[in-house]
Amino acid sequence: MKRVYYITIIMISIMYLGFAVKTDEQISDEKIDKRIDAILSKMTIEEKVGQMTQITLEVISSREGEASSLVIDADKLKEAIVDYKVGSIINTGGAANTLDDWQEIITSIQDAATKETRLGIPVLYGIDAIHGANYTLGATLFPQAINLAASRNKEIVKEGGSITAYEVRASGIPWNFNPVLGMGREPLWARFWETFGEDVHLTTEMGKAYVEGQQGKDISDKTKVATCIKHYMGYSVPKNGKDRTPAWIPERFIRDIFLPPFAEAVKTGAFTAMVNSSEVNGIPAHSDYHILTEILKGELNLKGFIVSDWEDIIRLHTRDRVAESPEEAVKMAVMAGLDMSMVPYDYSFYEILVKLVKDGEVPESRIDDAVRRILLVKYMLGLFENPYPYTELSDGFASEEFTEANLNAARESITLVKNENNILPLSKTSKVLVAGPTANLLSVMNGGWTITWQGNNEELYPKEKHTILEAVQEKIGENNVIFREGSSFEEDINSAEAVKMAEKVDAVVLCLGEPTYCETPGNISDLALPDAQLMLAQELAKAGKPIVLVMVEGRPRVINKIVDHAEGIVVAMLPGMEGGRAVADILFGDVNPSAKLPFTYPRNVNGYMTYDYKPLEVFDVNEFNPQWSFGHGLSYTEFEYSDLKLSGKNFSVDDEITVSVTVKNIGDREGKEAVELYITDLYGSVTRPNKQLKAFEKINLAPGESQEVSFTLNSDDLSFIGRENTRIVEPGEFIAAVADLQAAFYLK
Ligand code: BGC
Ligand code: BGC
């Protein structure tokens, strides 16, 4: 008896030792799993499918117009939450709400969810806060992603993500449909500016920094939100350039170019992903088991859930016609791996899926998996502890500190691409003519997803913010500034008068570009800047005064006809709410520009190429001849690069390679420089790109100051997707290049 007792004790101790080496993380994972299992075991099929159903705020509210406040309809709210057991609500209900209104809206939704339903599961509210809390009035609205990428400053991206999270969470919302991790490799695409540009490494690093900033270490922190990486995957390169049209991307390029930013974001802790609204290789992404389940949930091991994009499940039937009925569409999407449907206008998804499960068409185990994932995110966000807004965050909302960070981001995100005869910076004692359709509007600097979806209701913009014109007036005094629009986006207005005025000034600041748009309404068929604007530049040139061109645009509109007419060119893209001030700071030298293009600016409408082109693209008569390449960007000071050194000449796959270089500011003013390391793989079994960015760092140097910058590479950085569609590393010769310095090394 005693022996049995001892043996039992020993065995228990051994078992305990065996299992006791659990990490804290495993223990807390298990605790969460248990809580989720406990809830799941009590849920009916209806309650489970309700959790998978997402509707838009419009369904349960009304509003008179974009300028008035939104009113929640109590009956419709009850219908959604109690009758249909809806687990998620999104969007803004037509236009931005005040912080107080948001807090009230979220409170009434959570009241219904936690007090009036059987299980009291909180609602997961989601929003598109893509450049700050753009659907909360008065929020800190940052430069759009394309600008953040130009800054080459990961800290700025991280801080932007963090401030956005604060203001979104202050609005009572814990889930943000951002970052966009599609590659900006089709400049015609209306959502080009939502991307971090054309480069894989840059997008991967900026996406990672953004996720870190938004989520911090723990998304239950009241100043953090859950990210939703989107649009997974391949949405950004429609073959005909129009939003939501088919892409053709072979698996090799999917894995080489499009997957890495998503993989890194999931590794960094992104919990949710939204699906590409379009189709790749003839397969609508919402029906693609391979992409959703095998790659995203399998290979990448996404812990949270996958949400559809707007109406996209039903569109498998109504638009794409891969499903013969709405029922088939729902079954197809759910079985492909979709966990939540952004329905978002009705309860059709709920009704259909409940029936499919009851009829045995969709196994309950699949919806259990989906609901488990959704509940996990709700738990991780701490919604079961407190689903309500943290009103104490209101005080810090849009603080001066946040505005300063935003202004700094804008300043670092604007690229100086041409500065003939050092025309810039302009003297503060000069008289200038400000002209062009983007000179006196805030909307054009912010782009879509600002206050409204299209972002184009100028009346709703905060009056105290500065347009470019206002910022220039403030900088050099109203008396020194004349304004004539000259042309609208498409038509001449008073160009003749503008030319006359140009004769009277020292320089012309000509602000051209695009009106505000997003998604499909922003589709265009011609990348060239409209004639009226080109004409305005050509006419103004006749006045014989130096022209400084400021391009305010979401995509690189072709301007080769006027580039020679301008001595200075600033590519401002979409610098956000402080963009006016930032542009003026650069034009008049209070800020030294430090951005580099995150995309290749095409010279011609056709023949667009990215900087990482293949050998054939420059063979024979072919050439790479863009207006400006990826990585181009000027400063008011000059940097000299020297001493490019490698930690060796021959490496094996397990070695790390250190590349260092010395950068010196040899000009006479302080400046920031983005130091970039490029690698060329000379020979490969699959054709190798011209060169590829592999590391970058932004530094600040006083006049005369120098700094050594070093980067570490490993074999991953030299790998690529081979003929078998798997990631491989091949031995051979490589070239490391920083600025115009180069060094060769060999991989054994
Ligand atoms: C867009 C998404 C967005 C969603 C919710 C869709 O039309 O493609 O990017 O997150 O709407 O507003
Ligand atoms: C959504 C779009 C949708 C639009 C309709 C936006 O907020 O993101 O996808 O088409 O609202 O109003």
Side-chain angles (χ1 to χ4, degrees):
M1 194 53 191
K2 233 181 184 170
R3 268 180 58 190
V4 174
Y5 173 76
Y6 281 126
I7 289 171
T8 315
I9 296 260
I10 289 167
M11 287 198 36
I12 288 175
S13 319
I14 290 171
M15 274 171 60
Y16 179 73
L17 282 175
F19 289 109
V21 275
K22 276 181 193 157
T23 61
D24 288 353
E25 212 173 294
Q26 279 168 327
I27 294 168
S28 88
D29 279 359
E30 276 173 26
K31 252 188 172 159
I32 292 170
D33 282 350
K34 273 198 192 132
R35 290 181 72 178
I36 292 173
D37 283 342
I39 289 229
L40 199 63
S41 66
K42 291 186 205 136
M43 291 174 82
T44 61
I45 291 173
E46 286 79 0
E47 282 163 340
K48 290 175 186 173
V49 173
Q51 285 300 309
M52 298 170 68
T53 302
Q54 183 181 69
I55 57 165
T56 175
L57 187 55
E58 277 102 317
V59 174
I60 56 163
S61 66
S62 60
R63 125 184 279 146
E64 301 277 311
E66 287 180 343
S68 68
S69 27
L70 175 131
V71 184
I72 294 276
D73 179 322
D75 291 339
K76 288 185 180 159
L77 172 64
K78 188 157 175 283
E79 179 184 40
I81 303 292
V82 181
D83 301 346
Y84 288 100
K85 300 151 185 68
V86 161
S88 178
I89 304 182
I90 57 160
N91 222 349
T92 188
N97 301 303
T98 64
L99 188 59
D100 289 347
D101 283 351
W102 266 125
Q103 293 175 353
E104 257 177 56
I105 293 167
I106 300 297
T107 301
S108 51
I109 290 173
Q110 299 298 23
D111 272 345
T114 59
K115 297 180 184 156
E116 290 178 42
T117 66
R118 200 173 67 94
L119 297 172
I121 303 172
V123 160
L124 180 58
Y125 204 99
I127 199 90
D128 295 281
I130 75 159
H131 69 126
N134 42 238
Y135 282 153
T136 305
L137 287 169
T140 308
L141 297 193
F142 285 91
Q144 295 285 2
I146 197 74
N147 282 65
L148 296 181
S151 80
R152 298 296 198 272
N153 191 332
K154 293 172 214 172
E155 282 311 309
I156 282 182
V157 178
K158 193 168 167 182
E159 199 185 7
S162 170
I163 292 172
T164 301
Y166 182 102
E167 296 191 358
V168 170
R169 200 85 198 236
S171 313
I173 301 172
W175 186 29
N176 186 10
F177 301 137
N178 208 37
V180 169
L181 297 178
M183 305 293 309
R185 293 170 80 89
E186 168 47 85
L188 207 57
W189 187 43
R191 308 188 75 171
F192 182 82
W193 48 272
E194 293 184 48
T195 75
F196 289 118
E198 79 188 33
D199 184 67
V200 186
H201 180 75
L202 184 58
T203 301
T204 303
E205 289 297 308
M206 292 314 202
K208 180 179 174 191
Y210 189 88
V211 173
E212 285 171 350
Q214 284 253 290
Q215 299 202 156
K217 287 198 181 69
D218 177 3
I219 54 171
S220 73
D221 185 306
K222 65 184 175 191
T223 64
K224 296 296 168 194
V225 299
T227 56
C228 183
I229 50 179
K230 69 186 189 184
H231 307 80
Y232 178 81
M233 177 172 60
Y235 177 37
S236 59
V237 289
K239 214 170 149 286
N240 71 18
K242 304 265 172 78
D243 183 40
R244 287 184 167 80
T245 60
W248 293 6
I249 317 172
E251 179 113 358
R252 177 170 310 104
F253 298 141
I254 282 273
R255 289 184 174 278
D256 222 3
I257 299 172
F258 296 87
L259 188 57
F262 287 98
E264 188 63 32
V266 172
K267 222 162 92 190
T268 308
F271 277 101
T272 70
M274 189 188 295
V275 182
N276 168 7
S277 203
S278 176
E279 62 172 72
V280 178
N281 306 331
I283 315 275
H286 286 76
S287 68
D288 198 337
Y289 180 80
H290 176 56
I291 291 284
L292 301 180
T293 297
E294 290 180 342
I295 299 186
L296 184 52
K297 289 181 175 171
E299 278 177 45
L300 305 194
N301 194 18
L302 180 82
K303 292 261 166 53
F305 66 89
I306 305 180
V307 61
S308 82
D309 201 346
W310 195 271
E311 261 188 296
D312 281 326
I313 292 183
I314 207 65
R315 282 179 185 157
L316 292 174
H317 167 62
T318 57
R319 183 191 64 187
D320 303 323
R321 291 189 271 118
V322 290
E324 282 186 2
S325 64
E327 289 73 21
E328 197 187 351
V330 170
K331 180 175 174 182
M332 197 178 255
V334 172
M335 293 315 291
L338 249 301
D339 302 306
M340 185 184 277
S341 172
M342 189 184 288
V343 191
Y345 289 117
D346 58 37
Y347 302 103
S348 55
F349 171 83
Y350 171 91
E351 269 151 359
I352 292 170
L353 187 54
V354 166
K355 184 158 188 307
L356 287 171
V357 178
K358 289 190 171 164
D359 292 349
E361 289 287 318
V362 168
E364 195 164 349
S365 57
R366 175 68 268 276
I367 64 166
D368 283 351
D369 169 54
V371 175
R372 212 178 243 117
R373 290 166 176 277
I374 293 164
L375 293 180
L376 172 71
V377 175
K378 293 186 177 186
Y379 265 114
M380 297 307 283
L381 281 165
L383 295 181
F384 282 95
E385 275 68 46
N386 178 22
Y388 293 102
Y390 293 101
T391 49
E392 65 271 31
L393 297 179
S394 301
D395 278 347
F397 183 87
S399 64
E400 249 169 63
E401 186 195 331
F402 288 179
T403 307
E404 253 334 279
N406 186 14
L407 176 60
N408 181 49
R411 286 166 166 169
E412 289 203 26
S413 79
I414 294 169
T415 316
L416 175 65
V417 293
K418 181 175 179 184
N419 197 13
E420 215 172 82
N421 309 317
N422 289 326
I423 177 71
L424 288 170
L426 297 170
S427 149
K428 283 187 194 163
T429 56
S430 48
K431 260 188 173 317
V432 300
L433 167 72
V434 175
T438 58
N440 199 24
L441 293 171
L442 290 170
S443 55
V444 293
M445 293 189 293
N446 281 280
W449 305 111
T450 309
I451 307 171
T452 61
W453 177 43
Q454 288 298 307
N456 55 5
N457 191 340
E458 187 74 22
E459 306 229 308
L460 301 179
Y461 277 70
K463 306 284 172 283
E464 71 278 10
K465 298 295 176 185
H466 292 69
T467 64
I468 295 174
L469 171 66
E470 289 162 355
V472 170
Q473 285 170 333
E474 192 171 283
K475 189 73 76 186
I476 61 171
E478 274 186 51
N479 296 340
N480 292 319
V481 183
I482 306 173
F483 173 58
R484 285 295 179 284
E485 209 168 345
S487 85
S488 69
F489 293 102
E490 303 276 350
E491 280 165 37
D492 185 277
I493 295 178
N494 48 9
S495 64
E497 213 179 300
V499 176
K500 271 210 192 85
M501 295 297 161
E503 285 160 9
K504 302 195 178 123
V505 297
D506 302 311
V508 178
V509 172
L510 178 58
C511 305
L512 302 181
E514 297 193 306
T516 311
Y517 57 86
C518 79
E519 296 194 54
T520 309
N523 282 354
I524 53 170
S525 301
D526 185 352
L527 198 56
L529 195 68
D531 286 343
Q533 295 189 56
L534 297 172
M535 287 283 290
L536 176 62
Q538 284 158 348
E539 289 302 307
L540 282 169
K542 291 180 186 159
K545 297 298 168 63
I547 294 178
V548 175
L549 182 59
V550 181
M551 294 305 297
V552 181
E553 55 188 352
R555 57 199 146 194
R557 301 300 293 260
V558 168
I559 50 173
N560 63 36
K561 288 191 176 137
I562 59 173
V563 165
D564 289 346
H565 293 312
E567 281 178 53
I569 303 181
V570 170
V571 175
M573 301 304 289
L574 302 174
M577 214 52 106
E578 303 304 328
R581 287 162 74 195
V583 167
D585 285 343
I586 287 175
L587 294 181
F588 293 94
D590 287 334
V591 164
N592 189 356
S594 62
K596 292 191 170 176
L597 290 178
F599 55 84
T600 297
Y601 205 114
R603 183 185 298 273
N604 300 105
V605 166
N606 297 312
Y608 165 73
M609 277 162 72
T610 52
Y611 87 96
D612 52 353
Y613 55 81
K614 293 301 187 71
L616 264 176
E617 292 178 89
V618 291
F619 186 65
D620 202 343
V621 298
N622 297 340
E623 53 175 352
F624 179 57
N625 183 27
Q627 195 72 63
W628 300 288
S629 174
F630 173 91
H632 176 68
L634 306 171
S635 165
Y636 293 151
T637 188
E638 207 180 318
F639 299 100
E640 186 186 74
Y641 284 75
S642 62
D643 292 323
L644 179 67
K645 281 187 265 181
L646 301 182
S647 53
K649 196 97 192 131
N650 298 294
F651 298 92
S652 68
V653 267
D654 300 323
D655 291 339
E656 286 200 330
I657 305 167
T658 307
V659 182
S660 62
V661 69
T662 301
V663 188
K664 184 173 184 191
N665 182 346
I666 56 167
D668 55 9
R669 58 173 295 171
E670 187 176 1
K672 290 187 174 144
E673 169 76 340
V675 184
E676 298 187 320
L677 168 64
Y678 291 89
I679 296 290
T680 303
D681 178 1
L682 282 187
Y683 297 92
S685 56
V686 170
T687 59
R688 309 303 300 125
N690 160 54
K691 60 176 185 175
Q692 291 179 298
L693 182 70
K694 292 295 175 183
F696 61 95
E697 191 187 329
K698 199 164 195 181
I699 58 172
N700 186 65
L701 294 175
E705 194 187 353
S706 63
Q707 188 180 323
E708 191 186 59
V709 177
S710 58
F711 302 109
T712 309
L713 299 176
N714 57 36
S715 57
D716 261 2
D717 296 307
L718 309 178
S719 70
F720 61 96
I721 306 298
R723 294 196 179 213
E724 308 301 326
N725 286 344
T726 55
R727 191 162 280 283
I728 57 169
V729 185
E730 284 180 350
E733 185 178 358
F734 294 82
I735 308 284
V738 181
D740 48 8
L741 306 175
Q742 293 196 344
F745 64 92
Y746 298 84
L747 195 69
K748 287 182 289 196

